[in-house]
Amino acid sequence: GVQTCALPIHGMLQPGTPFMDGVTGVSQCGISVGSEMVYEFEATPAGTHWYHSHSGVQYVDGQEGPLIVHPRKDDNDIPDWEKTIEQEYVLFLSEWSKLTGGTEYYELKQGLLEEGGTYGGVMEADVPWPTILLNGKASDNEFEVDYDTPTRFRLINGGANYIMNVSVAAPIQMEAVMIDPGTYLEPTVLDFISTEIGSRWDFVVNVPSDVEAGKYPIYVTDLSGENVASPGYIVVGGGGGNGAVIDDSGPITTGVSNTVS
């Protein structure tokens, strides 16, 4: 049959426009190939959103992306830290599952059954982890930050299979400030952030002037801790040392996080 799509937006409240929520067969008919649809809605609440196809597995193949809503300049309810931000980046995580067809998937499922529900004894999802993509790339993403300049990172788990734990090499600190759009937090320094599928966590990085210039890896792991990706770096002070990696010891898997024990 002819493939269709629809594009829901995670976290948008849609006051008065539920038919713009973008779920095929529920709030709208699918958009057929060669056709188009204009989505019109009030962009609320302000914060980090993302959109994706809601048809088949199209978003796993890349039909997805971030959608950022900034607060109005005359909004008096935003916290003080929001007013100090001078630069920001989006960290959009997605999985590169590399499944090529029904036979491969069937064989994988058989393997899962034989392993008692895990892939190779360590996977908590039913799709293998060749790597994780950050903003569509598997490596070499660089995010430059200036000393003593608060920088906001908008972290989005746009994957379909894994809870992903995200950390940054020490001494870079992640100060969590928002969960999902519109929910402000008391700023809290976390060693790692555990992101469920579809969730968004905003954190602020403010690098003191005594931190060594260089590239500090961003690490992503699944819950097993056995599957690790390092798709990018936070670059401090222009990189320094010809862009040398300052700390390559691996992800932080213990310490203060947003998880509930």
Side-chain angles (χ1 to χ4, degrees):
V2 176
Q3 285 193 323
T4 62
C5 74
L7 297 175
I9 300 173
H10 261 71
M12 204 67 67
L13 296 181
Q14 299 284 5
T17 55
F19 40 84
M20 291 288 173
D21 192 44
V23 180
T24 308
V26 178
S27 57
Q28 69 167 94
C29 295
I31 307 167
S32 59
V33 174
S35 300
E36 64 179 36
M37 175 178 174
V38 176
Y39 289 86
E40 297 184 19
F41 50 84
E42 179 183 351
T44 183
T48 304
H49 302 258
W50 66 294
Y51 68 89
H52 63 82
S53 171
H54 213 284
S55 301
V57 293
Q58 291 176 353
Y59 95 76
V60 180
D61 289 332
Q63 192 161 326
E64 59 181 351
L67 192 152
I68 309 304
V69 178
H70 294 277
R72 296 180 182 274
K73 293 182 178 180
D74 58 357
D75 188 345
N76 295 321
D77 294 327
I78 61 175
D80 290 339
W81 69 260
E82 181 97 75
K83 303 171 186 177
T84 67
I85 299 300
E86 297 186 19
Q87 64 176 348
E88 64 177 47
Y89 296 106
V90 172
L91 304 179
F92 192 95
L93 299 173
S94 58
E95 298 147 355
W96 185 15
S97 60
K98 294 180 66 176
L99 289 183
T100 58
T103 301
E104 181 181 355
Y105 183 75
Y106 175 77
E107 292 175 351
L108 172 62
K109 292 292 285 186
Q110 288 299 106
L112 290 172
L113 294 175
E114 293 169 5
E115 291 287 343
T118 61
Y119 180 80
V122 295
M123 293 289 182
E124 81 272 6
D126 61 358
V127 176
W129 173 302
T131 191
I132 288 298
L133 302 181
L134 175 57
N135 297 349
K137 295 170 56 180
S139 61
D140 299 326
N141 291 279
E142 295 190 356
F143 307 93
E144 293 189 11
V145 298
D146 297 323
Y147 288 111
D148 299 314
T149 302
T151 301
R152 180 184 193 151
F153 288 83
R154 298 178 180 270
L155 176 62
I156 303 169
N157 184 341
N161 290 282
Y162 294 94
I163 294 174
M164 303 184 202
N165 291 341
V166 179
S167 62
V168 181
I172 306 301
Q173 293 186 321
M174 303 184 299
E175 187 174 49
V177 292
M178 178 179 282
I179 178 174
D180 295 339
T183 305
Y184 289 108
L185 305 173
E186 183 69 28
T188 304
V189 173
L190 300 177
D191 295 309
F192 66 93
I193 296 175
S194 188
T195 65
E196 297 182 351
I197 297 168
S199 67
R200 285 81 75 210
W201 282 83
D202 290 21
F203 63 89
V204 171
V205 169
N206 192 5
V207 182
S209 57
D210 59 353
V211 169
E212 184 178 359
K215 297 165 64 174
Y216 292 82
I218 299 169
Y219 293 106
V220 184
T221 73
D222 68 351
L223 287 183
S224 74
E226 299 290 334
N227 301 283
V228 181
S230 181
Y233 303 92
I234 291 180
V235 181
V236 176
N242 296 317
V245 177
I246 298 302
D247 184 316
D248 197 18
S249 60
I252 298 171
T253 57
T254 61
V256 180
S257 78
N258 56 308
T259 58
V260 178
S261 58

